[in-house]
Amino acid sequence: MSTTSTIPGIAPASVLPSRRLSVAPMMDWTDRHCRVFHRQITRHTWLYTEMVTTGALVYGDVERHLRYDDVEHPVALQLGGSDPADLAKSAKLGEQWGYDEINLNCGCPSERVQKGAFGACLMNEPQLVADCVKAMRDAVSIDVTVKHRIGIDYDEEYGFVRDFVGTIADAGCKTFIVHARNAVLKGLSPKENREIPPLRYAVAYQLKREFPDLEILINGGIKSDDEIALHLQHVDGVMLGREAYHNPWTMADWDRRFYGDAGAGRPRSRVEVLEAMIPYIEEQLRLYGPLGLKLNSITRHMLGLMQGLPGARSFRQTLSDSKKLALGDPRLLLEAAARMPAAA
């Protein structure tokens, strides 16, 4: 049920790559436009949706929440919820729409999410999470995975996360994405929860040693290819979040370095990435512009593309010009690139 790709020369992979690298689900950021943009930079990296609540799918507009472009594969749907029946229904919808994986959010610490009885607070109820995972696995044939923290509040006992993972694994989950920080449920904002609790990568490493048959991915504070390579000596995969969003060109060498793909047919420059996005933007504006889609809904995800280069500020300023954006002309991407002092 996904839309046909408007990106020339790119088609969904017939065989899914490993989860060696992935971009984290990030609310208000990793929407379908962001994911299409990221796919122009890396072919094999797994992309995750923003969290979609079960209520939004069981009672809301399914098409609005689940539509995506074929070019996004491999793409995973992250769900937020704690009712096994609703999660099973939502997972089934995700499979019907063609997603490659269903991921359960057991890591978000926001108080708004806690009021819905899901996110990181679910780590205090491992048997409930196991029931949710089993219900989803019974409903779909694609992988069901869990993203979680390494602890709750200020309890740093390894046994807590070990027992959580063990219980969920007994329900059939084989892949765990470990954000290597505790989640403090009261007193810290979501932003502070990404910065104040210390990173303890060794906990994720220990999980992999103790559960060698499970697929363990690590997340949290990772910024460079060298850091990725170091973590991959200990775990099966690495997930980046804000670094991939704010500095998307950091993903440019991932296919070659971490998947052994020299990148035949991939854009070789930042400008080629922008050029590849224009047909997609034109089609999205044609299809959804009457419903309120604005050019900025797509271009906002590209502001960091030139990060670190001379002229990056001019690029951002041009791409953020409200008067130019109001014209709805995707060739603004190339105008912004032309402000750079040299070809990118």
Side-chain angles (χ1 to χ4, degrees), residues 42-106:
T42 171
R43 181 194 303 268
H44 301 297
T45 299
W46 280 71
L47 305 177
Y48 284 70
T49 69
E50 305 168 273
M51 181 185 68
V52 180
T53 65
T54 54
L57 296 180
V58 174
Y59 305 107
D61 185 340
V62 172
E63 194 271 341
R64 181 172 73 86
H65 290 292
L66 294 188
R67 66 175 179 250
Y68 66 95
D69 193 282
D70 277 340
V71 74
E72 296 176 39
H73 292 285
V75 59
L77 170 64
Q78 187 184 69
L79 294 176
S82 58
D83 179 84
D86 285 350
L87 281 165
K89 292 177 186 176
S90 299
K92 189 63 177 177
L93 284 169
E95 182 179 46
Q96 290 170 347
W97 273 77
Y99 284 91
D100 301 303
E101 171 192 322
I102 304 297
N103 177 259
L104 179 62
N105 185 330
C106 294

Side-chain angles (χ1 to χ4, degrees), residues 320-328 332:
S320 302
D321 188 313
S322 58
K323 292 182 180 179
K324 294 180 183 293
L325 287 166
L327 298 175
L332 178 61

Side-chain angles (χ1 to χ4, degrees), residues 192-211:
E192 290 170 330
N193 258 293
R194 295 191 300 269
E195 298 171 350
I196 293 177
L199 284 161
R200 294 187 290 135
Y201 297 126
V203 174
Y205 299 170
Q206 179 63 27
L207 286 171
K208 181 60 185 177
R209 289 194 296 269
E210 188 153 348
F211 299 98

